[in-house]
Amino acid sequence: MTKQLLLFVTLLVTTLSFSQQDGYWDKDRSTTKEINVSARDRIIIKTEDLPLGTTEIVYRITLLDENQQLASSLVSVLKSIPDPTGISQGSAGAVFVLSKISGDDKCTYAIFSTDKLALEYKDSGKTLESCLVQAEPVSKDAKRLSVDKSSCLNGNSNALWFGFESKNWIMKQKIVLEVVPWVDKKLSRGWSLENRKSIIDQCKTSNLAQKMSNSDNFCVCVSERIQAKYKFQEFQKLLPMERSKVFKDAGDVCLNETNASPAISADLRKEASLLIKNGKYGTAIEKLALIINGDKATVLDYNAIGSCYLFTKQYGKALKYLQAGEKLDNTELFVQLNLAHAYLLNDNYKEAKKIYKKYQNQNVTDSLSWIQKTEQDFKAFQKAGIQNEDFERVLRLIKE
């Protein structure tokens, strides 16, 4: 028995050097009950409701002789243990979880996750449905139960039921049950594994995430942003349009944090280019707008969206984006030419003439002249049903 006690004490010690402050012992919702049990009787004791986010509990059972008192409560002992992992890590500066005293009486006990199973135990003494059973009589005991290693904490119950059977055949005995829950700070906000997964899955169905070759890091980032700002219950109460905005805001931040934006922008450019070739300018605008709204646009992105607006006869919007592109790089002649087109189609021949004339002797690429590109553009406009009586006038101007 001495060897067993020494082994148990070794397991039930801690040191501050291994502390992980990701939770806390909830002393306010701990259980401390002292019960007198009649000889050869069975009783059940329900713990206090376990708080949301409980991932571990430490319990202590002590049988006392008449007039005996506990030297220290389990709550006071656990104040010296920063987290549950410390109980099983071991340390030279040991803190004993086991009670320092006990009486001569002994009992057996079992733990149940529902009141129905506990009541069946009280009537029959059967422990087959228990999540933990101590069949050998003890005068004191202490254990740590965790979500990942014990079926007692399965997430479906907010309390535990302890069943005791007295092994005193003559006299009643006094049992002290103490249970202290460890609460994970993140889970206490309602963000269980299932709830976190639901946010990540929703993120993965978004248009933005689907543009990424690997959206895992991005969606985990979005989930963490939402968890930091809201409790799960608060998030669930938001209106659909409010939740959409929360996702968008978190996504905007996570794009930069996960370095996903360049890859997404590259994919969007490829899609927009293909759409433009097929004359689907409206859809191409949507793709290019995602790049521009994400503050990752290049001068050629502004040129492309400006060109799309020209072909959809939205000349004012074309001017807006082409002028923004010009501010990024006023030497990019694709932008300058489309800017001249936008002024011309917007009935501002005076401004258009200045640009057409200014670059008439230059090339827009190493092999395509300003004049050739202008002729190509005017033919493309006419094919798309865009007519302007000044097209010929401009061509005569730049060929002088």
Side-chain angles (χ1 to χ4, degrees), residues 202-237:
Q202 187 174 345
C203 169
K204 283 181 171 291
T205 63
S206 67
N207 290 332
L208 192 58
Q210 289 178 350
K211 299 301 177 187
M212 306 177 188
S213 57
N214 187 345
S215 62
D216 289 352
N217 289 343
F218 171 74
C219 286
V220 168
C221 175
V222 169
S223 175
E224 289 177 346
R225 286 277 171 181
I226 294 174
Q227 291 173 53
K229 188 172 183 180
Y230 297 96
K231 291 184 177 180
F232 179 72
Q233 293 81 354
E234 295 172 344
F235 181 73
Q236 288 294 88
K237 291 178 182 178

PDB file of all heavy atoms in Angstrom, residues 202-237:
ATOM      1  N   GLN A 202     -17.773  26.716 -43.148  1.00  0.00           N
ATOM      2  CA  GLN A 202     -18.486  27.813 -43.813  1.00  0.00           C
ATOM      3  C   GLN A 202     -17.516  28.706 -44.573  1.00  0.00           C
ATOM      4  O   GLN A 202     -17.801  29.165 -45.677  1.00  0.00           O
ATOM      5  CB  GLN A 202     -19.272  28.630 -42.780  1.00  0.00           C
ATOM      6  CG  GLN A 202     -20.179  29.681 -43.405  1.00  0.00           C
ATOM      7  CD  GLN A 202     -21.050  30.377 -42.374  1.00  0.00           C
ATOM      8  OE1 GLN A 202     -21.185  29.899 -41.241  1.00  0.00           O
ATOM      9  NE2 GLN A 202     -21.656  31.482 -42.746  1.00  0.00           N
ATOM     10  N   CYS A 203     -16.369  28.961 -43.970  1.00  0.00           N
ATOM     11  CA  CYS A 203     -15.337  29.775 -44.628  1.00  0.00           C
ATOM     12  C   CYS A 203     -14.876  29.126 -45.924  1.00  0.00           C
ATOM     13  O   CYS A 203     -14.696  29.793 -46.950  1.00  0.00           O
ATOM     14  CB  CYS A 203     -14.156  29.983 -43.678  1.00  0.00           C
ATOM     15  SG  CYS A 203     -12.694  30.693 -44.452  1.00  0.00           S
ATOM     16  N   LYS A 204     -14.701  27.794 -45.898  1.00  0.00           N
ATOM     17  CA  LYS A 204     -14.190  27.089 -47.070  1.00  0.00           C
ATOM     18  C   LYS A 204     -15.143  27.133 -48.259  1.00  0.00           C
ATOM     19  O   LYS A 204     -14.730  26.920 -49.399  1.00  0.00           O
ATOM     20  CB  LYS A 204     -13.870  25.638 -46.702  1.00  0.00           C
ATOM     21  CG  LYS A 204     -12.574  25.473 -45.925  1.00  0.00           C
ATOM     22  CD  LYS A 204     -12.313  24.008 -45.619  1.00  0.00           C
ATOM     23  CE  LYS A 204     -10.922  23.805 -45.051  1.00  0.00           C
ATOM     24  NZ  LYS A 204      -9.877  24.042 -46.048  1.00  0.00           N
ATOM     25  N   THR A 205     -16.428  27.407 -48.014  1.00  0.00           N
ATOM     26  CA  THR A 205     -17.388  27.487 -49.118  1.00  0.00           C
ATOM     27  C   THR A 205     -17.452  28.886 -49.730  1.00  0.00           C
ATOM     28  O   THR A 205     -18.142  29.079 -50.731  1.00  0.00           O
ATOM     29  CB  THR A 205     -18.799  27.100 -48.635  1.00  0.00           C
ATOM     30  OG1 THR A 205     -19.249  28.048 -47.641  1.00  0.00           O
ATOM     31  CG2 THR A 205     -18.806  25.704 -48.025  1.00  0.00           C
ATOM     32  N   SER A 206     -16.753  29.845 -49.126  1.00  0.00           N
ATOM     33  CA  SER A 206     -16.791  31.213 -49.650  1.00  0.00           C
ATOM     34  C   SER A 206     -16.043  31.306 -50.973  1.00  0.00           C
ATOM     35  O   SER A 206     -15.140  30.518 -51.260  1.00  0.00           O
ATOM     36  CB  SER A 206     -16.168  32.181 -48.635  1.00  0.00           C
ATOM     37  OG  SER A 206     -14.783  31.942 -48.500  1.00  0.00           O
ATOM     38  N   ASN A 207     -16.424  32.267 -51.787  1.00  0.00           N
ATOM     39  CA  ASN A 207     -15.783  32.462 -53.090  1.00  0.00           C
ATOM     40  C   ASN A 207     -14.286  32.724 -52.933  1.00  0.00           C
ATOM     41  O   ASN A 207     -13.469  32.246 -53.718  1.00  0.00           O
ATOM     42  CB  ASN A 207     -16.429  33.636 -53.833  1.00  0.00           C
ATOM     43  CG  ASN A 207     -17.838  33.315 -54.282  1.00  0.00           C
ATOM     44  OD1 ASN A 207     -18.168  32.156 -54.510  1.00  0.00           O
ATOM     45  ND2 ASN A 207     -18.674  34.334 -54.407  1.00  0.00           N
ATOM     46  N   LEU A 208     -13.948  33.488 -51.899  1.00  0.00           N
ATOM     47  CA  LEU A 208     -12.551  33.849 -51.691  1.00  0.00           C
ATOM     48  C   LEU A 208     -11.712  32.616 -51.380  1.00  0.00           C
ATOM     49  O   LEU A 208     -10.641  32.406 -51.948  1.00  0.00           O
ATOM     50  CB  LEU A 208     -12.452  34.861 -50.549  1.00  0.00           C
ATOM     51  CG  LEU A 208     -11.112  35.570 -50.366  1.00  0.00           C
ATOM     52  CD1 LEU A 208     -10.706  36.307 -51.630  1.00  0.00           C
ATOM     53  CD2 LEU A 208     -11.193  36.533 -49.190  1.00  0.00           C
ATOM     54  N   ALA A 209     -12.197  31.773 -50.455  1.00  0.00           N
ATOM     55  CA  ALA A 209     -11.441  30.582 -50.054  1.00  0.00           C
ATOM     56  C   ALA A 209     -11.297  29.606 -51.209  1.00  0.00           C
ATOM     57  O   ALA A 209     -10.279  28.924 -51.346  1.00  0.00           O
ATOM     58  CB  ALA A 209     -12.125  29.898 -48.872  1.00  0.00           C
ATOM     59  N   GLN A 210     -12.320  29.529 -52.050  1.00  0.00           N
ATOM     60  CA  GLN A 210     -12.273  28.593 -53.163  1.00  0.00           C
ATOM     61  C   GLN A 210     -11.265  29.010 -54.234  1.00  0.00           C
ATOM     62  O   GLN A 210     -10.937  28.222 -55.123  1.00  0.00           O
ATOM     63  CB  GLN A 210     -13.663  28.435 -53.769  1.00  0.00           C
ATOM     64  CG  GLN A 210     -14.611  27.665 -52.850  1.00  0.00           C
ATOM     65  CD  GLN A 210     -16.006  27.534 -53.407  1.00  0.00           C
ATOM     66  OE1 GLN A 210     -16.361  28.157 -54.409  1.00  0.00           O
ATOM     67  NE2 GLN A 210     -16.829  26.716 -52.765  1.00  0.00           N
ATOM     68  N   LYS A 211     -10.797  30.252 -54.164  1.00  0.00           N
ATOM     69  CA  LYS A 211      -9.768  30.706 -55.098  1.00  0.00           C
ATOM     70  C   LYS A 211      -8.371  30.253 -54.671  1.00  0.00           C
ATOM     71  O   LYS A 211      -7.413  30.372 -55.424  1.00  0.00           O
ATOM     72  CB  LYS A 211      -9.779  32.242 -55.199  1.00  0.00           C
ATOM     73  CG  LYS A 211     -11.079  32.822 -55.708  1.00  0.00           C
ATOM     74  CD  LYS A 211     -11.418  32.301 -57.086  1.00  0.00           C
ATOM     75  CE  LYS A 211     -12.754  32.820 -57.568  1.00  0.00           C
ATOM     76  NZ  LYS A 211     -13.138  32.173 -58.843  1.00  0.00           N
ATOM     77  N   MET A 212      -8.254  29.730 -53.460  1.00  0.00           N
ATOM     78  CA  MET A 212      -6.942  29.356 -52.932  1.00  0.00           C
ATOM     79  C   MET A 212      -6.671  27.879 -53.187  1.00  0.00           C
ATOM     80  O   MET A 212      -7.576  27.050 -53.081  1.00  0.00           O
ATOM     81  CB  MET A 212      -6.880  29.619 -51.423  1.00  0.00           C
ATOM     82  CG  MET A 212      -7.234  31.027 -51.021  1.00  0.00           C
ATOM     83  SD  MET A 212      -7.206  31.210 -49.222  1.00  0.00           S
ATOM     84  CE  MET A 212      -7.902  32.856 -49.061  1.00  0.00           C
ATOM     85  N   SER A 213      -5.447  27.570 -53.499  1.00  0.00           N
ATOM     86  CA  SER A 213      -5.072  26.166 -53.662  1.00  0.00           C
ATOM     87  C   SER A 213      -5.130  25.442 -52.324  1.00  0.00           C
ATOM     88  O   SER A 213      -5.422  24.255 -52.255  1.00  0.00           O
ATOM     89  CB  SER A 213      -3.665  26.050 -54.263  1.00  0.00           C
ATOM     90  OG  SER A 213      -2.722  26.746 -53.448  1.00  0.00           O
ATOM     91  N   ASN A 214      -4.842  26.145 -51.223  1.00  0.00           N
ATOM     92  CA  ASN A 214      -4.949  25.587 -49.875  1.00  0.00           C
ATOM     93  C   ASN A 214      -5.483  26.674 -48.954  1.00  0.00           C
ATOM     94  O   ASN A 214      -4.775  27.616 -48.620  1.00  0.00           O
ATOM     95  CB  ASN A 214      -3.584  25.090 -49.379  1.00  0.00           C
ATOM     96  CG  ASN A 214      -3.696  24.359 -48.049  1.00  0.00           C
ATOM     97  OD1 ASN A 214      -4.715  24.443 -47.362  1.00  0.00           O
ATOM     98  ND2 ASN A 214      -2.656  23.641 -47.679  1.00  0.00           N
ATOM     99  N   SER A 215      -6.739  26.524 -48.567  1.00  0.00           N
ATOM    100  CA  SER A 215      -7.397  27.570 -47.776  1.00  0.00           C
ATOM    101  C   SER A 215      -7.381  27.281 -46.282  1.00  0.00           C
ATOM    102  O   SER A 215      -7.997  28.015 -45.509  1.00  0.00           O
ATOM    103  CB  SER A 215      -8.854  27.729 -48.247  1.00  0.00           C
ATOM    104  OG  SER A 215      -9.575  26.519 -48.044  1.00  0.00           O
ATOM    105  N   ASP A 216      -6.686  26.211 -45.846  1.00  0.00           N
ATOM    106  CA  ASP A 216      -6.727  25.817 -44.434  1.00  0.00           C
ATOM    107  C   ASP A 216      -6.258  26.939 -43.509  1.00  0.00           C
ATOM    108  O   ASP A 216      -6.956  27.301 -42.556  1.00  0.00           O
ATOM    109  CB  ASP A 216      -5.878  24.569 -44.203  1.00  0.00           C
ATOM    110  CG  ASP A 216      -6.509  23.313 -44.805  1.00  0.00           C
ATOM    111  OD1 ASP A 216      -7.662  23.413 -45.255  1.00  0.00           O
ATOM    112  OD2 ASP A 216      -5.859  22.265 -44.828  1.00  0.00           O
ATOM    113  N   ASN A 217      -5.059  27.459 -43.753  1.00  0.00           N
ATOM    114  CA  ASN A 217      -4.510  28.498 -42.878  1.00  0.00           C
ATOM    115  C   ASN A 217      -5.393  29.730 -42.873  1.00  0.00           C
ATOM    116  O   ASN A 217      -5.606  30.363 -41.833  1.00  0.00           O
ATOM    117  CB  ASN A 217      -3.100  28.875 -43.327  1.00  0.00           C
ATOM    118  CG  ASN A 217      -2.087  27.781 -43.033  1.00  0.00           C
ATOM    119  OD1 ASN A 217      -2.357  26.888 -42.231  1.00  0.00           O
ATOM    120  ND2 ASN A 217      -0.950  27.821 -43.689  1.00  0.00           N
ATOM    121  N   PHE A 218      -5.908  30.091 -44.043  1.00  0.00           N
ATOM    122  CA  PHE A 218      -6.772  31.265 -44.151  1.00  0.00           C
ATOM    123  C   PHE A 218      -8.027  31.077 -43.311  1.00  0.00           C
ATOM    124  O   PHE A 218      -8.413  31.966 -42.538  1.00  0.00           O
ATOM    125  CB  PHE A 218      -7.135  31.499 -45.617  1.00  0.00           C
ATOM    126  CG  PHE A 218      -8.181  32.557 -45.827  1.00  0.00           C
ATOM    127  CD1 PHE A 218      -7.877  33.902 -45.677  1.00  0.00           C
ATOM    128  CD2 PHE A 218      -9.481  32.201 -46.166  1.00  0.00           C
ATOM    129  CE1 PHE A 218      -8.844  34.877 -45.865  1.00  0.00           C
ATOM    130  CE2 PHE A 218     -10.457  33.173 -46.356  1.00  0.00           C
ATOM    131  CZ  PHE A 218     -10.137  34.510 -46.204  1.00  0.00           C
ATOM    132  N   CYS A 219      -8.693  29.929 -43.435  1.00  0.00           N
ATOM    133  CA  CYS A 219      -9.958  29.705 -42.723  1.00  0.00           C
ATOM    134  C   CYS A 219      -9.748  29.528 -41.221  1.00  0.00           C
ATOM    135  O   CYS A 219     -10.606  29.919 -40.421  1.00  0.00           O
ATOM    136  CB  CYS A 219     -10.692  28.510 -43.316  1.00  0.00           C
ATOM    137  SG  CYS A 219     -11.443  28.865 -44.932  1.00  0.00           S
ATOM    138  N   VAL A 220      -8.618  28.953 -40.820  1.00  0.00           N
ATOM    139  CA  VAL A 220      -8.304  28.873 -39.385  1.00  0.00           C
ATOM    140  C   VAL A 220      -8.120  30.281 -38.828  1.00  0.00           C
ATOM    141  O   VAL A 220      -8.591  30.598 -37.723  1.00  0.00           O
ATOM    142  CB  VAL A 220      -7.038  28.030 -39.142  1.00  0.00           C
ATOM    143  CG1 VAL A 220      -6.544  28.200 -37.707  1.00  0.00           C
ATOM    144  CG2 VAL A 220      -7.326  26.557 -39.412  1.00  0.00           C
ATOM    145  N   CYS A 221      -7.462  31.134 -39.586  1.00  0.00           N
ATOM    146  CA  CYS A 221      -7.269  32.527 -39.174  1.00  0.00           C
ATOM    147  C   CYS A 221      -8.612  33.229 -39.020  1.00  0.00           C
ATOM    148  O   CYS A 221      -8.859  33.936 -38.038  1.00  0.00           O
ATOM    149  CB  CYS A 221      -6.391  33.259 -40.188  1.00  0.00           C
ATOM    150  SG  CYS A 221      -6.192  35.031 -39.859  1.00  0.00           S
ATOM    151  N   VAL A 222      -9.510  33.037 -39.988  1.00  0.00           N
ATOM    152  CA  VAL A 222     -10.845  33.650 -39.921  1.00  0.00           C
ATOM    153  C   VAL A 222     -11.582  33.165 -38.681  1.00  0.00           C
ATOM    154  O   VAL A 222     -12.190  33.955 -37.943  1.00  0.00           O
ATOM    155  CB  VAL A 222     -11.653  33.312 -41.191  1.00  0.00           C
ATOM    156  CG1 VAL A 222     -13.126  33.702 -41.010  1.00  0.00           C
ATOM    157  CG2 VAL A 222     -11.074  34.044 -42.394  1.00  0.00           C
ATOM    158  N   SER A 223     -11.507  31.865 -38.424  1.00  0.00           N
ATOM    159  CA  SER A 223     -12.174  31.288 -37.256  1.00  0.00           C
ATOM    160  C   SER A 223     -11.639  31.885 -35.956  1.00  0.00           C
ATOM    161  O   SER A 223     -12.405  32.247 -35.058  1.00  0.00           O
ATOM    162  CB  SER A 223     -11.979  29.768 -37.247  1.00  0.00           C
ATOM    163  OG  SER A 223     -12.512  29.192 -36.074  1.00  0.00           O
ATOM    164  N   GLU A 224     -10.330  32.024 -35.856  1.00  0.00           N
ATOM    165  CA  GLU A 224      -9.732  32.570 -34.632  1.00  0.00           C
ATOM    166  C   GLU A 224     -10.113  34.031 -34.429  1.00  0.00           C
ATOM    167  O   GLU A 224     -10.308  34.477 -33.295  1.00  0.00           O
ATOM    168  CB  GLU A 224      -8.217  32.416 -34.690  1.00  0.00           C
ATOM    169  CG  GLU A 224      -7.759  30.962 -34.545  1.00  0.00           C
ATOM    170  CD  GLU A 224      -6.262  30.801 -34.675  1.00  0.00           C
ATOM    171  OE1 GLU A 224      -5.602  31.772 -35.146  1.00  0.00           O
ATOM    172  OE2 GLU A 224      -5.740  29.727 -34.308  1.00  0.00           O
ATOM    173  N   ARG A 225     -10.187  34.784 -35.517  1.00  0.00           N
ATOM    174  CA  ARG A 225     -10.610  36.193 -35.425  1.00  0.00           C
ATOM    175  C   ARG A 225     -12.029  36.295 -34.875  1.00  0.00           C
ATOM    176  O   ARG A 225     -12.327  37.140 -34.028  1.00  0.00           O
ATOM    177  CB  ARG A 225     -10.541  36.842 -36.807  1.00  0.00           C
ATOM    178  CG  ARG A 225      -9.136  37.131 -37.280  1.00  0.00           C
ATOM    179  CD  ARG A 225      -8.638  38.438 -36.719  1.00  0.00           C
ATOM    180  NE  ARG A 225      -7.223  38.620 -36.984  1.00  0.00           N
ATOM    181  CZ  ARG A 225      -6.533  39.667 -36.576  1.00  0.00           C
ATOM    182  NH1 ARG A 225      -7.124  40.612 -35.864  1.00  0.00           N
ATOM    183  NH2 ARG A 225      -5.252  39.784 -36.844  1.00  0.00           N
ATOM    184  N   ILE A 226     -12.913  35.434 -35.369  1.00  0.00           N
ATOM    185  CA  ILE A 226     -14.307  35.464 -34.928  1.00  0.00           C
ATOM    186  C   ILE A 226     -14.407  35.022 -33.469  1.00  0.00           C
ATOM    187  O   ILE A 226     -15.139  35.622 -32.669  1.00  0.00           O
ATOM    188  CB  ILE A 226     -15.167  34.576 -35.834  1.00  0.00           C
ATOM    189  CG1 ILE A 226     -15.222  35.173 -37.250  1.00  0.00           C
ATOM    190  CG2 ILE A 226     -16.578  34.426 -35.276  1.00  0.00           C
ATOM    191  CD1 ILE A 226     -15.917  34.295 -38.264  1.00  0.00           C
ATOM    192  N   GLN A 227     -13.647  33.978 -33.102  1.00  0.00           N
ATOM    193  CA  GLN A 227     -13.675  33.493 -31.720  1.00  0.00           C
ATOM    194  C   GLN A 227     -13.202  34.555 -30.735  1.00  0.00           C
ATOM    195  O   GLN A 227     -13.716  34.666 -29.622  1.00  0.00           O
ATOM    196  CB  GLN A 227     -12.785  32.258 -31.587  1.00  0.00           C
ATOM    197  CG  GLN A 227     -13.302  31.025 -32.295  1.00  0.00           C
ATOM    198  CD  GLN A 227     -12.305  29.899 -32.271  1.00  0.00           C
ATOM    199  OE1 GLN A 227     -11.809  29.507 -31.200  1.00  0.00           O
ATOM    200  NE2 GLN A 227     -11.972  29.368 -33.435  1.00  0.00           N
ATOM    201  N   ALA A 228     -12.202  35.335 -31.153  1.00  0.00           N
ATOM    202  CA  ALA A 228     -11.644  36.358 -30.264  1.00  0.00           C
ATOM    203  C   ALA A 228     -12.645  37.483 -30.021  1.00  0.00           C
ATOM    204  O   ALA A 228     -12.649  38.101 -28.955  1.00  0.00           O
ATOM    205  CB  ALA A 228     -10.357  36.921 -30.861  1.00  0.00           C
ATOM    206  N   LYS A 229     -13.503  37.721 -31.002  1.00  0.00           N
ATOM    207  CA  LYS A 229     -14.420  38.857 -30.903  1.00  0.00           C
ATOM    208  C   LYS A 229     -15.763  38.493 -30.291  1.00  0.00           C
ATOM    209  O   LYS A 229     -16.389  39.314 -29.611  1.00  0.00           O
ATOM    210  CB  LYS A 229     -14.644  39.456 -32.295  1.00  0.00           C
ATOM    211  CG  LYS A 229     -15.423  40.760 -32.277  1.00  0.00           C
ATOM    212  CD  LYS A 229     -15.436  41.405 -33.657  1.00  0.00           C
ATOM    213  CE  LYS A 229     -16.159  42.750 -33.621  1.00  0.00           C
ATOM    214  NZ  LYS A 229     -16.186  43.403 -34.964  1.00  0.00           N
ATOM    215  N   TYR A 230     -16.212  37.251 -30.513  1.00  0.00           N
ATOM    216  CA  TYR A 230     -17.549  36.862 -30.065  1.00  0.00           C
ATOM    217  C   TYR A 230     -17.516  35.548 -29.292  1.00  0.00           C
ATOM    218  O   TYR A 230     -16.715  34.653 -29.607  1.00  0.00           O
ATOM    219  CB  TYR A 230     -18.482  36.657 -31.270  1.00  0.00           C
ATOM    220  CG  TYR A 230     -18.739  37.886 -32.098  1.00  0.00           C
ATOM    221  CD1 TYR A 230     -17.991  38.127 -33.250  1.00  0.00           C
ATOM    222  CD2 TYR A 230     -19.724  38.800 -31.742  1.00  0.00           C
ATOM    223  CE1 TYR A 230     -18.215  39.253 -34.020  1.00  0.00           C
ATOM    224  CE2 TYR A 230     -19.957  39.920 -32.509  1.00  0.00           C
ATOM    225  CZ  TYR A 230     -19.205  40.154 -33.643  1.00  0.00           C
ATOM    226  OH  TYR A 230     -19.434  41.274 -34.399  1.00  0.00           O
ATOM    227  N   LYS A 231     -18.416  35.412 -28.323  1.00  0.00           N
ATOM    228  CA  LYS A 231     -18.759  34.097 -27.806  1.00  0.00           C
ATOM    229  C   LYS A 231     -19.623  33.422 -28.863  1.00  0.00           C
ATOM    230  O   LYS A 231     -20.277  34.087 -29.663  1.00  0.00           O
ATOM    231  CB  LYS A 231     -19.539  34.213 -26.491  1.00  0.00           C
ATOM    232  CG  LYS A 231     -18.708  34.735 -25.324  1.00  0.00           C
ATOM    233  CD  LYS A 231     -19.531  34.734 -24.041  1.00  0.00           C
ATOM    234  CE  LYS A 231     -18.680  35.199 -22.855  1.00  0.00           C
ATOM    235  NZ  LYS A 231     -19.453  35.210 -21.608  1.00  0.00           N
ATOM    236  N   PHE A 232     -19.620  32.091 -28.862  1.00  0.00           N
ATOM    237  CA  PHE A 232     -20.367  31.378 -29.907  1.00  0.00           C
ATOM    238  C   PHE A 232     -21.846  31.743 -29.876  1.00  0.00           C
ATOM    239  O   PHE A 232     -22.472  31.958 -30.920  1.00  0.00           O
ATOM    240  CB  PHE A 232     -20.200  29.864 -29.743  1.00  0.00           C
ATOM    241  CG  PHE A 232     -20.953  29.074 -30.772  1.00  0.00           C
ATOM    242  CD1 PHE A 232     -20.520  29.042 -32.093  1.00  0.00           C
ATOM    243  CD2 PHE A 232     -22.114  28.387 -30.437  1.00  0.00           C
ATOM    244  CE1 PHE A 232     -21.221  28.331 -33.061  1.00  0.00           C
ATOM    245  CE2 PHE A 232     -22.814  27.668 -31.394  1.00  0.00           C
ATOM    246  CZ  PHE A 232     -22.359  27.636 -32.706  1.00  0.00           C
ATOM    247  N   GLN A 233     -22.399  31.835 -28.666  1.00  0.00           N
ATOM    248  CA  GLN A 233     -23.812  32.169 -28.548  1.00  0.00           C
ATOM    249  C   GLN A 233     -24.088  33.567 -29.085  1.00  0.00           C
ATOM    250  O   GLN A 233     -25.126  33.811 -29.717  1.00  0.00           O
ATOM    251  CB  GLN A 233     -24.251  32.073 -27.078  1.00  0.00           C
ATOM    252  CG  GLN A 233     -24.231  30.663 -26.500  1.00  0.00           C
ATOM    253  CD  GLN A 233     -22.851  30.219 -26.060  1.00  0.00           C
ATOM    254  OE1 GLN A 233     -21.849  30.912 -26.278  1.00  0.00           O
ATOM    255  NE2 GLN A 233     -22.780  29.054 -25.441  1.00  0.00           N
ATOM    256  N   GLU A 234     -23.162  34.503 -28.877  1.00  0.00           N
ATOM    257  CA  GLU A 234     -23.319  35.863 -29.405  1.00  0.00           C
ATOM    258  C   GLU A 234     -23.272  35.859 -30.933  1.00  0.00           C
ATOM    259  O   GLU A 234     -24.058  36.543 -31.587  1.00  0.00           O
ATOM    260  CB  GLU A 234     -22.214  36.767 -28.862  1.00  0.00           C
ATOM    261  CG  GLU A 234     -22.269  36.984 -27.361  1.00  0.00           C
ATOM    262  CD  GLU A 234     -21.034  37.721 -26.833  1.00  0.00           C
ATOM    263  OE1 GLU A 234     -20.025  37.791 -27.565  1.00  0.00           O
ATOM    264  OE2 GLU A 234     -21.102  38.218 -25.692  1.00  0.00           O
ATOM    265  N   PHE A 235     -22.331  35.077 -31.477  1.00  0.00           N
ATOM    266  CA  PHE A 235     -22.197  35.012 -32.933  1.00  0.00           C
ATOM    267  C   PHE A 235     -23.453  34.432 -33.569  1.00  0.00           C
ATOM    268  O   PHE A 235     -23.911  34.902 -34.615  1.00  0.00           O
ATOM    269  CB  PHE A 235     -20.983  34.164 -33.297  1.00  0.00           C
ATOM    270  CG  PHE A 235     -20.740  34.046 -34.765  1.00  0.00           C
ATOM    271  CD1 PHE A 235     -20.234  35.127 -35.484  1.00  0.00           C
ATOM    272  CD2 PHE A 235     -21.028  32.875 -35.444  1.00  0.00           C
ATOM    273  CE1 PHE A 235     -20.017  35.035 -36.850  1.00  0.00           C
ATOM    274  CE2 PHE A 235     -20.814  32.766 -36.809  1.00  0.00           C
ATOM    275  CZ  PHE A 235     -20.312  33.852 -37.506  1.00  0.00           C
ATOM    276  N   GLN A 236     -24.034  33.406 -32.928  1.00  0.00           N
ATOM    277  CA  GLN A 236     -25.225  32.774 -33.461  1.00  0.00           C
ATOM    278  C   GLN A 236     -26.429  33.711 -33.486  1.00  0.00           C
ATOM    279  O   GLN A 236     -27.335  33.561 -34.302  1.00  0.00           O
ATOM    280  CB  GLN A 236     -25.587  31.528 -32.640  1.00  0.00           C
ATOM    281  CG  GLN A 236     -24.635  30.358 -32.850  1.00  0.00           C
ATOM    282  CD  GLN A 236     -24.690  29.813 -34.257  1.00  0.00           C
ATOM    283  OE1 GLN A 236     -23.984  30.276 -35.144  1.00  0.00           O
ATOM    284  NE2 GLN A 236     -25.546  28.842 -34.480  1.00  0.00           N
ATOM    285  N   LYS A 237     -26.447  34.682 -32.583  1.00  0.00           N
ATOM    286  CA  LYS A 237     -27.580  35.609 -32.500  1.00  0.00           C
ATOM    287  C   LYS A 237     -27.497  36.744 -33.521  1.00  0.00           C
ATOM    288  O   LYS A 237     -28.450  37.519 -33.676  1.00  0.00           O
ATOM    289  CB  LYS A 237     -27.673  36.196 -31.087  1.00  0.00           C
ATOM    290  CG  LYS A 237     -28.085  35.173 -30.032  1.00  0.00           C
ATOM    291  CD  LYS A 237     -28.126  35.795 -28.641  1.00  0.00           C
ATOM    292  CE  LYS A 237     -28.498  34.755 -27.595  1.00  0.00           C
ATOM    293  NZ  LYS A 237     -28.501  35.342 -26.234  1.00  0.00           N
TER     294      LYS A 237
END
